[in-house]
Amino acid sequence: MIGGVMIILGLVLLIIGAVAGISILWTIGLILIVIGAVLWVLGALGHAVGGRRHYW
């Protein structure tokens, strides 16, 4: 769940940064997408992330 939220937030920041021409928002959005994807994959595989096996 937390990975999906981070991916959505990253996409929103990426779009806002691209439209407004603010490169720091674009960079932060890209970083959030990557971190969210990693957390999502690890959670889907059943690995404990941050000491927790499930996030809900």
Side-chain angles (χ1 to χ4, degrees):
M1 181 170 154
I2 191 79
V5 172
M6 288 184 72
I7 291 172
I8 292 171
L9 181 62
L11 283 173
V12 169
L13 288 176
L14 194 69
I15 291 169
I16 292 172
V19 169
I22 303 172
S23 62
I24 190 71
L25 288 180
W26 195 86
T27 304
I28 292 172
L30 191 61
I31 291 169
L32 284 178
I33 290 173
V34 169
I35 292 172
V38 168
L39 288 175
W40 187 24
V41 168
L42 287 176
L45 293 176
H47 292 282
V49 179
R52 304 177 97 180
R53 186 163 300 277
H54 299 285
Y55 286 95
W56 61 79

